[in-house]
Amino acid sequence: MTEQDWLVYFETISFSVYDWVLIFALLFLALELLNDLVTGRFSGERLLETGSSVLTQIPYYLAEIVIFGGGVYLYFMIYELIPWKIPTNGYTGLLVLLLADLAYYIEHYAVHRIRLFWLAHSVHHSSSMMNTATAFRFSLFDPIPSFLFHLPLVLMGFNPVLVFAAEILVLAYQFWIHNEMIGRLGPLEWFFNTPSHHRVHHGSDPAYIDKNFGGILIIWDRLFGTFQAERQLPTYGLATPMNSKNPIKVQFHEFPKLFRDLGRAQGLGQWLGYLFKPPGWEPKTGADASHRRAKESIQ
């Protein structure tokens, strides 16, 4: 196969897989709702929560059209400027998929630990339940960090088509891990992200917060110390619950909190801290600073 043949192949495969995953996700969501009826878990609140998650797709896809279109243009512009190019073939296709999964892990960690990015990603974590609809629960700003954190793959010399195809496959994989119906999967749990691992990621329990950031593979979490096995069914949602089912509230519930904090910031350092430190960060008070200096003088 020529390089162009490989590019067409990877592009076709990625979009075909994504389309089939969407069909599977809708069928599995119907099965979950049926299971709720049979087990007596079904309620109007759970149905509204499911609908709220699905409705976030409307602004997300509108934003995706604009940002993805801009991303395609910028990626190819940058790719044409760099003098080095990595050939496209089956081996580099597997390599870029592995690197895209690592890039997703880094991106996912960053959107949890940088408050400016958490504004968007908190939408995905705001649901108090876990079913396949949660996989569709996105902020309209989600495409921005994805564009930023996959840019290094283009700078390395991978063709943007290959990068986008790998990114789509990493995202497509994750639809099936948003559910409670599938239990643990034995030896697969050591290497792959599974529903059990991802339920932990959505937990607001202290032991589960900021754990299991992987996309396809869970090995990144095991390597970098962010892995947590599922010990009990998590309490889903944010540490400070967001109980609204209003899709607009779901999209923007974190913004007023940030604006209030920025408004009370004293100086540029605090202002930047509220933007780029982890969610929940607060500047140290004078008492905290005095205590720290006293402790350092003892040591």
Side-chain angles (χ1 to χ4, degrees):
M1 290 176 65
T2 66
E3 183 161 326
Q4 185 60 37
D5 290 335
W6 277 111
L7 289 173
V8 172
Y9 174 76
F10 285 124
E11 183 178 12
T12 303
I13 286 293
S14 62
F15 281 103
S16 295
V17 167
Y18 195 84
D19 289 342
W20 278 107
V21 163
L22 288 177
I23 295 172
F24 164 81
L26 292 173
L27 292 174
F28 198 84
L29 177 59
L31 181 62
E32 288 175 298
L33 294 174
L34 179 61
N35 182 67
D36 283 349
L37 281 170
V38 172
T39 59
R41 297 182 69 195
F42 185 85
S43 67
E45 183 176 358
R46 287 179 68 84
L47 184 61
L48 285 173
E49 188 76 18
T50 297
S52 179
S53 294
V54 173
L55 286 174
T56 63
Q57 284 291 288
I58 297 173
Y60 169 74
Y61 273 122
L62 291 175
E64 179 81 342
I65 291 171
V66 176
I67 296 171
F68 185 79
V72 169
Y73 176 79
L74 288 173
Y75 274 18
F76 274 103
M77 183 178 70
I78 293 168
Y79 181 71
E80 292 303 320
L81 290 175
I82 59 176
W84 54 88
K85 304 285 191 295
I86 295 177
T88 299
N89 53 48
Y91 297 111
T92 56
L94 291 175
L95 176 59
V96 77
L97 181 59
L98 181 67
L99 292 175
D101 198 53
L102 175 58
Y104 177 84
Y105 171 88
I106 296 169
E107 173 199 343
H108 203 176
Y109 182 87
V111 297
H112 274 256
R113 303 298 295 165
I114 298 173
R115 190 176 181 185
L116 186 62
F117 290 150
W118 177 247
L119 284 179
H121 192 61
S122 63
V123 174
H124 186 63
H125 281 265
S126 61
S127 178
S128 60
M129 58 180 286
M130 172 69 86
N131 64 12
T132 304
T134 310
F136 294 90
R137 195 178 182 101
F138 288 125
S139 163
L140 62 90
F141 300 105
D142 270 324
I144 297 174
S146 182
F147 164 78
L148 294 175
F149 283 91
H150 288 82
L151 178 59
L153 300 182
V154 177
L155 295 174
M156 290 170 65
F158 289 106
N159 190 293
V161 172
L162 209 57
V163 175
F164 283 123
E167 183 181 352
I168 290 170
L169 290 174
V170 172
L171 290 176
Y173 174 89
Q174 294 175 69
F175 280 105
W176 79 282
I177 61 177
H178 289 81
N179 69 81
E180 290 183 327
M181 292 183 64
I182 299 176
R184 298 190 182 184
L185 299 175
L188 293 178
E189 303 276 337
W190 281 96
F191 305 101
F192 293 99
N193 199 4
T194 64
S196 175
H197 295 329
H198 204 62
R199 285 193 291 269
V200 167
H201 179 70
H202 276 262
S204 59
D205 313 85
Y208 289 168
I209 291 177
D210 289 346
K211 300 295 183 182
N212 299 359
F213 295 103
I216 296 175
L217 301 174
I218 202 66
I219 58 173
W220 312 120
D221 290 283
R222 295 185 183 278
L223 286 172
F224 301 127
T226 54
F227 174 74
Q228 173 61 53
E230 185 180 34
R231 302 301 182 193
Q232 60 190 27
L233 200 63
T235 302
Y236 303 114
L238 303 173
T240 301
M242 197 288 299
N243 297 317
S244 176
K245 308 300 184 291
N246 184 324
I248 298 177
K249 173 71 172 177
V250 169
Q251 282 286 339
F252 298 106
H253 68 278
E254 286 289 326
F255 282 75
K257 299 178 186 178
L258 177 61
F259 293 152
R260 283 195 298 269
D261 287 341
L262 292 176
R264 64 189 178 91
Q266 298 179 7
L268 180 61
Q270 290 188 12
W271 198 82
L272 293 174
Y274 281 124
L275 285 176
F276 297 108
K277 294 287 187 178
W281 175 85
E282 290 288 346
K284 294 186 181 298
T285 64
D288 292 333
S290 298
H291 177 74
R292 186 174 66 256
R293 285 194 297 269
K295 183 177 180 181
E296 290 172 351
S297 65
I298 295 172
Q299 293 175 338

